[in-house]
């Protein structure tokens, strides 16, 4: 009934003008301001957090998000958003540890984009969401635009798998995020996941102000009971200041007062559930067995140890097997770890499955920026921690989430590019046996020599090898298959790749990616231009090859395809150094400069399919249209070539080999596409997987398998790129799927504070 109500309301809400939607959202923001104290008290009662936290942070942030996205609603008809449309009904799932701000991060951009929302608040703390809906009704929001469904996990499961839901935003644990990724496979639901697995790192260098660093560490660790995704769990301290910093930290922790939510003298309250207290006891016990020092503050008399846990430090180092490290439960616990050099600090911080946020504390600006841009996280604060703003994208890397909240990027999470079709299927998929059935389309027909005239000189077989690590390699299984041309005759023999070949190709891509990213956009641009020049020099060879492969009598189609390929390469070469960087003072309360940039995902797996033009398949264009944008933005790629027409991609590898492309940047595999895809989709080092022209069954498997490491996937159906103009129309979509955001917050105002 709730989803039906949202679908019905969507017809009206979507057809409102941007100005009308902006007025509604603006009115909602004003009403939230009127009831700010009530909202803060309700949040404090429901979650047990100190009343000052939601009053000073959560509620003002909710209002800020609503005001910010009211502005985007006003601009929804501008040229910036002319190619985007609403997705429909948005389901928002919030976990028990989700702060009130999460509600605004779901509702504000969804409404601004023209969608309606079904919210499922946590079972144990649904009151703030219900109060939010009540205030929205008072503000005059049309019925059905926001629906709230309190309940347990079964309500959540029914909501996320409902056929009427087009978009899901989930805030909660990484384990539940993986489960949701599996449950929604094949349903055509786009996901945004803001996951709380793991905790943020804070690095204190010997050039930092110690007193400010200690105060910042304590606030960042126990703000909101340490149960927000960006709270500090690892405190990395340089050895040269260890003996000065740790005593100051102990003294500051001792001064923290544990108390009830409305005790205005208390700094820390009780965790959201008793299970967290049990997990804390287990974690500290394991730390002591591992030889670490556990330091606990005192609980005031009269408070039960069953519902309150003192602020706790684990001092001296940690082991990967320690339960306090990379736990999926947000524990209000801080590990204090020494490091010697900046490189070691970066290695310790990046040695995690998670990558939500981190902070760097130093007065050395160049050191702070260099460390910030080497951290594998979505947000970095310099000499501060925990500042968020509606205008700045916030989201996790690795297993800390998919997508972002905040900024224009957060708005686009709730919109769909025009001309793109969602891939979905209800057909069952045998996930366990996917890729194990041989592909009959690549079975080897009779040998080339059986097609020659009797008595003639035998044809010398040319078997195309796999291409990875900058060289042609024999397949690990020493197997091959025939490729037929458009007339049904054997065109070539190509290698059959195996799981070992996929692993080798990913290893080569992983080795090449850091250097490919560091060489800079201008150099990458010149290398892609060089590849285009080499392709032009072999133009006649490629035209002849494509004409024979397609079984055509004239070369006109092949010539058009080569022209389109040249335009594509020139387009992405020109785009390399045109990425947008944003910088500005975005904080309404203090002077803070935020640099927001887009960084490459890393290794992208690509499942290639030929572009279907009006005259037939264009295999080379299909290959270039996917690999070129990926490498343009600094990624390395492992491409599974089209099983029916793999030779154009392999021929183009000779162009790459003779140009300046570093070894391992582009890797091409041939063989049974499902078998290769199965290994690629499950590989932990692959950060993204593109299969925009794949079958619905393969897309469903990709979505299911991607839950292993929550890799970014792109399985929507794209229109055929048969011209340069079509590609330029989709440039923003390629950039969003090739990169991820990083926001670096730098406080300023020392000179012009007033």
């Amino acid at each position: 009934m709730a989803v039906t109500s949202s679908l019905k309301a969507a017809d009206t809400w979507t057809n409102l003008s941007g100005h009308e939607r902006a007025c509604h959202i603006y009115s909602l923001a004003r009403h939230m301001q009127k009831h700010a104290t009530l909202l803060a008290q309700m949040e404090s009662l429901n979650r047990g957090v100190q009343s000052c936290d939601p009053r000073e942070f959560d509620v003002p942030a909710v209002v800020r998000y609503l005001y910010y996205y009211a502005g985007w609603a006003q601009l929804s008809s501008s040229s910036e958003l002319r190619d985007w449309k609403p997705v429909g009904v948005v389901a928002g799932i919030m976990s028990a540890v989700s702060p009130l701000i999460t509600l605004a991060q779901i509702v504000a951009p969804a409404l601004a984009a023209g969608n309606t929302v079904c919210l499922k608040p946590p079972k144990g703390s649904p009151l703030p969401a219900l109060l939010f809906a009540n205030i929205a009704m008072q503000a005059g929001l049309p019925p059905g635009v926001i629906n709230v469904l309190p309940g347990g996990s079964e309500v959540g499961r029914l909501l996320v798998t409902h056929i009427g839901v087009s978009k899901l935003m989930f805030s909660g644990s990484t384990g539940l995020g993986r489960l949701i990724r599996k449950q929604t496979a094949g349903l055509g639901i786009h996901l945004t996941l803001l996951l709380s697995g793991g905790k943020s790192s804070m690095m204190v260098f010997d050039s930092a102000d110690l007193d400010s660093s200690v105060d910042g560490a304590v606030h960042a660790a126990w703000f909101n009971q340490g149960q927000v995704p960006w709270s500090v769990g690892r405190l990395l301290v340089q050895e040269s200041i260890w003996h000065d910093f740790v005593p100051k930290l102990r003294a500051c922790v001792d001064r923290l007062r544990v108390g009830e939510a409305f005790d205005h003298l208390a700094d820390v309250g009780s965790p959201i559930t008793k299970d967290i207290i049990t997990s804390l006891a287990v974690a500290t016990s394991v730390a002591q067995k591992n030889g670490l020092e556990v330091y606990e503050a005192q609980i005031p008399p009269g408070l039960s140890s069953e519902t309150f846990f003192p602020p706790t430090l684990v001092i001296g180092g940690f082991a990967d097997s320690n339960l306090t490290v990379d736990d999926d439960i947000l524990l209000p616990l801080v590990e204090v770890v020494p490091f010697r050099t900046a490189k070691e600090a970066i290695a310790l911080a990046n040695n995690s499955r998670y990558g939500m946020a981190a902070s760097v504390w130093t007065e050395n600006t160049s050191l702070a920026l260099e460390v910030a841009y080497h951290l594998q996280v979505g947000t970095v604060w310099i000499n501060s921690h925990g500042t968020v703003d509606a205008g700045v994208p916030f989201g996790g890397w690795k297993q800390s989430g998919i997508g972002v909240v905040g900024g224009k990027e957060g708005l686009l999470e709730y919109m769909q590019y025009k001309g793109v079709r969602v891939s979905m299927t209800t057909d069952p998929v045998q996930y366990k046996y996917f890729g194990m059935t041989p592909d009959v389309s690549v079975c080897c027909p009779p040998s080339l020599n059986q097609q020659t005239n009797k008595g003639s000189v035998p044809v010398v077989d040319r078997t195309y090898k796999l291409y990875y690590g900058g060289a042609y390699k024999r397949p690990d299984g020493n197997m091959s298959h025939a490729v037929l041309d458009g007339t049904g005759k054997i065109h070539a023999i190509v290698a059959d790749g195996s799981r070992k070949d996929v692993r080798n190709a990913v290893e080569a891509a992983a080795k090449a990616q850091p250097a490919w990213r560091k060489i800079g956009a201008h150099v990458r641009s010149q290398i892609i231009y060089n590849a285009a020049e080499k392709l032009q020099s072999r133009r006649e060879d490629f035209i002849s090859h494509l004409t024979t492969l397609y079984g055509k009598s004239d070369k006109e189609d092949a010539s058009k395809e080569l022209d389109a390929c040249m335009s594509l390469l020139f387009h992405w070469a020109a785009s390399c150094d045109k990425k947008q960087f944003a910088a500005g003072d975005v904080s309404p309360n203090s002077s803070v400069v935020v640099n927001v940039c887009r960084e490459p995902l890393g290794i992208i797996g690509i499942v290639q399919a030929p572009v279907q033009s009006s005259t037939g398949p264009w295999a080379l264009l299909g290959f270039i249209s996917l690999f070129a944008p990926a490498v343009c933005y600094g990624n390395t790629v492992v491409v599974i070539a089209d099983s029916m027409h793999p030779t154009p991609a392999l021929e183009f590898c000779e162009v790459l080999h003779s140009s300046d492309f570093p070894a391992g940047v582009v890797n091409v595999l041939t063989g049974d596409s499902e078998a290769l895809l199965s290994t690629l989709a499950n590989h932990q080092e692959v950060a993204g997987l593109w299969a925009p022209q794949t079958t619905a069954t393969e897309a469903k498997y990709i979505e299911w398998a991607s839950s292993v490491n929550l890799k970014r996937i792109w399985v929507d159906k794209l229109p055929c790129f048969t011209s340069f103009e079509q590609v330029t129309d989709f440039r923003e979509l390629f950039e969003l799927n090739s990169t991820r955001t990083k926001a670096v917050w730098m406080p300023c105002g020392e000179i012009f504070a007033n």
Side-chain angles (χ1 to χ4, degrees):
M1 291 172 63
V3 175
T4 302
S5 169
S6 293
L7 286 168
K8 184 178 179 180
D11 293 336
T12 303
W13 184 252
T14 303
N15 290 324
L16 292 179
S17 68
H19 175 68
E20 290 173 314
R21 287 201 302 271
C23 289
H24 277 293
I25 300 171
Y26 183 85
S27 175
L28 180 57
R30 295 291 290 170
H31 278 74
M32 290 295 162
Q33 284 182 306
K34 292 178 185 178
H35 299 285
T37 302
L38 178 59
L39 269 172
Q41 291 178 346
M42 188 71 77
E43 174 76 350
S44 186
L45 280 169
N46 247 214
R47 297 183 61 241
V49 299
Q50 299 314 111
S51 57
C52 62
D53 289 346
R55 183 178 67 248
E56 296 174 2
F57 176 78
D58 291 75
V59 176
V62 168
V63 174
R64 163 68 175 145
Y65 268 88
L66 290 169
Y67 277 137
Y68 176 79
Y69 281 107
W72 273 114
Q74 180 70 39
L75 299 174
S76 59
S77 58
S78 67
S79 59
E80 271 193 275
L81 299 173
R82 70 174 185 273
D83 295 323
W84 296 85
K85 63 179 182 179
V87 294
V89 177
V90 174
I93 312 292
M94 300 165 61
S95 75
V97 297
S98 300
L100 182 64
I101 187 177
T102 308
L103 192 148
Q105 290 170 339
I106 299 171
V107 172
L111 297 188
N115 306 293
T116 53
V117 182
C118 281
L119 282 173
K120 206 291 267 185
K123 182 179 180 180
S125 53
L127 298 184
L130 290 168
L131 177 60
F132 184 93
N134 187 278
I135 296 173
M137 184 173 62
Q138 294 178 28
L141 213 63
V145 173
I146 296 179
N147 293 306
V148 180
L149 286 168
S153 57
E154 181 62 15
V155 175
R157 185 188 66 81
L158 292 171
L159 184 59
V160 302
T161 57
H162 197 284
I163 193 171
V165 173
S166 302
K167 170 71 183 182
L168 172 66
M169 197 288 193
F170 170 73
S171 172
S173 71
T174 302
L176 283 177
R178 291 195 192 96
L179 179 62
I180 288 173
R181 174 71 280 178
K182 289 184 177 181
Q183 289 178 335
T184 57
L187 299 180
I189 298 176
H190 288 180
L191 299 185
T192 297
L193 304 178
L194 192 65
L195 305 179
S196 56
K199 297 184 77 175
S200 300
S201 296
M202 174 175 171
M203 285 168 279
V204 183
F205 290 88
D206 55 11
S207 54
D209 182 295
L210 293 191
D211 292 329
S212 298
S213 302
V214 168
D215 290 341
V218 171
H219 180 266
W222 286 284
F223 170 76
N224 244 311
Q225 267 68 289
Q227 293 173 221
V228 288
W230 56 87
S231 58
V232 167
R234 286 192 187 91
L235 180 54
L236 308 177
V237 181
Q238 197 152 18
E239 281 186 353
S240 56
I241 58 170
W242 176 266
H243 296 294
D244 296 323
F245 184 89
V246 173
K248 287 177 178 286
L249 181 64
R250 285 198 187 102
C252 193
V253 170
D254 280 335
R255 291 195 296 270
L256 290 177
R257 177 186 169 93
V258 180
E260 299 284 355
F262 289 98
D263 181 350
H264 296 295
L265 298 178
D267 303 296
V268 182
S270 63
I272 188 69
T273 65
K274 289 185 177 181
D275 293 340
I276 291 178
I277 294 180
T278 304
S279 299
L280 277 166
V282 172
T284 54
S285 175
V286 172
Q288 288 173 329
K289 288 180 181 178
N290 286 353
L292 306 180
E293 177 191 350
V294 176
Y295 184 81
E296 296 180 353
Q298 297 298 315
I299 296 180
L303 295 181
S304 171
S305 60
E306 294 182 358
T307 53
F308 290 89
F309 198 89
T312 304
L313 302 173
V314 177
I315 303 173
F318 56 79
D320 289 341
S321 59
N322 194 331
L323 287 180
T324 62
V325 179
D326 270 0
D327 203 338
D328 198 25
I329 303 173
L330 280 180
L331 302 179
L333 180 88
V334 177
E335 297 159 330
V336 190
V337 185
F339 69 88
R340 287 164 292 185
T341 65
K343 283 187 177 180
E344 183 183 358
I346 293 169
L348 289 171
N350 288 340
N351 184 28
S352 171
R353 299 192 304 270
Y354 307 102
M356 180 61 75
S359 61
V360 181
W361 294 73
T362 175
E363 297 299 314
N364 185 335
T365 305
S366 62
L367 171 65
L369 290 175
E370 188 170 2
V371 171
Y373 287 110
H374 279 85
L375 291 173
Q376 297 171 4
V377 296
T379 300
V380 181
W381 295 281
I382 296 174
N383 295 326
S384 62
H385 194 103
T387 308
V388 296
D389 186 82
V392 180
F394 181 85
W397 289 17
K398 297 188 277 191
Q399 296 187 38
S400 285
I402 300 173
V404 297
V405 295
K408 181 186 174 183
E409 292 87 346
L411 178 73
L412 297 183
E413 292 282 334
Y414 296 90
M415 305 187 81
Q416 185 176 344
Y417 209 80
K418 293 178 180 177
V420 175
R421 293 182 293 112
V422 175
S423 177
M424 58 187 299
T425 179
T426 57
D427 296 337
V429 176
Q430 295 294 326
Y431 298 115
K432 184 177 180 181
Y433 302 106
F434 184 87
M436 293 186 179
T437 305
D439 185 356
V440 296
S441 66
V442 298
C443 292
C444 186
S447 166
L448 279 171
N449 288 317
Q450 294 183 24
Q451 298 188 149
T452 60
N453 295 325
K454 187 175 182 181
S456 63
V457 177
V459 176
V460 177
D461 284 349
R462 182 203 171 180
T463 301
Y464 285 88
K465 299 176 184 177
L466 308 176
Y467 183 82
Y468 59 83
Y472 286 96
K473 308 286 181 70
R474 295 185 184 279
D476 181 70
N478 288 317
M479 297 180 66
S480 59
H481 69 271
V483 175
L484 306 182
D485 61 21
T487 63
K489 295 181 179 179
I490 295 178
H491 175 69
I493 306 294
V494 299
D496 263 341
S498 64
R499 289 177 293 179
K500 182 66 165 63
D501 297 309
V502 174
R503 291 194 289 268
N504 290 343
V506 173
E507 183 180 347
K511 186 177 179 181
Q513 202 277 324
W516 180 245
R517 173 194 172 191
K518 287 180 182 178
I519 63 173
H522 173 68
V523 178
R524 288 198 299 270
S525 173
Q526 296 306 303
I527 291 174
I528 298 175
Y529 275 130
N530 190 16
E533 292 173 8
K534 292 290 194 298
L535 178 62
Q536 180 64 30
S537 68
R538 292 193 53 196
R539 179 183 179 87
E540 293 305 319
D541 293 340
F542 271 91
I543 289 176
S544 176
H545 179 91
L546 294 173
T547 302
T548 304
L549 176 64
Y550 301 150
K552 300 291 180 66
S553 56
D554 62 78
K555 299 181 178 181
E556 183 179 355
D557 267 1
S559 180
K560 289 181 179 178
E561 183 176 358
L562 257 293
D563 290 338
C565 290
M566 291 295 298
S567 295
L568 273 179
L569 289 172
F570 267 73
H571 170 74
W572 290 114
S575 300
C576 276
D577 54 0
K578 307 301 187 299
K579 292 187 291 184
Q580 296 298 311
F581 293 83
D585 174 33
V586 299
S587 174
N589 300 319
S590 61
S591 187
V592 180
V593 174
V594 184
N595 291 318
V596 181
C597 62
R598 303 199 66 88
E599 296 198 358
L601 290 180
I603 303 171
I604 295 179
I606 296 176
V607 182
Q608 181 219 332
V611 168
Q612 295 296 330
S613 70
S614 58
T615 57
W618 284 4
L620 182 61
L621 186 63
F623 172 70
I624 291 177
S625 66
L626 294 179
F627 105 83
V631 300
C632 159
Y633 292 111
N635 302 284
T636 53
V637 297
V638 177
V639 183
I640 300 175
D642 173 38
S643 58
M644 299 299 293
H645 308 93
T647 53
L650 294 171
E651 286 285 347
F652 189 80
C653 288
E654 292 189 2
V655 172
L656 299 176
H657 192 63
S658 62
S659 63
D660 295 327
F661 263 91
V665 172
V666 180
N667 308 276
V668 179
L669 303 175
T670 57
D672 187 338
S673 60
E674 283 196 1
L676 297 174
L677 173 59
S678 175
T679 306
L680 196 59
N682 285 281
H683 202 292
Q684 295 274 7
E685 286 196 70
V686 177
L689 188 54
W690 295 1
Q693 305 296 348
T694 192
T695 64
T697 300
E698 289 178 342
K700 184 175 182 179
Y701 177 79
I702 290 170
E703 292 178 335
W704 180 86
S706 68
S707 64
V708 174
N709 67 338
L710 294 174
K711 58 173 63 69
R712 293 269 297 275
I713 60 171
W714 189 15
V715 293
D716 290 340
K717 300 292 185 183
L718 299 179
C720 297
F721 299 136
T722 55
S723 70
F724 169 75
E725 289 76 13
Q726 286 178 307
V727 177
T728 56
D729 288 343
F730 284 80
R731 175 182 163 183
E732 186 174 19
L733 198 59
F734 276 109
E735 180 174 334
L736 290 172
N737 284 280
S738 299
T739 58
R740 51 193 171 189
T741 59
K742 173 178 281 187
V744 179
W745 294 71
M746 296 182 294
C748 59
E750 184 175 335
I751 301 173
F752 299 104
N754 297 319

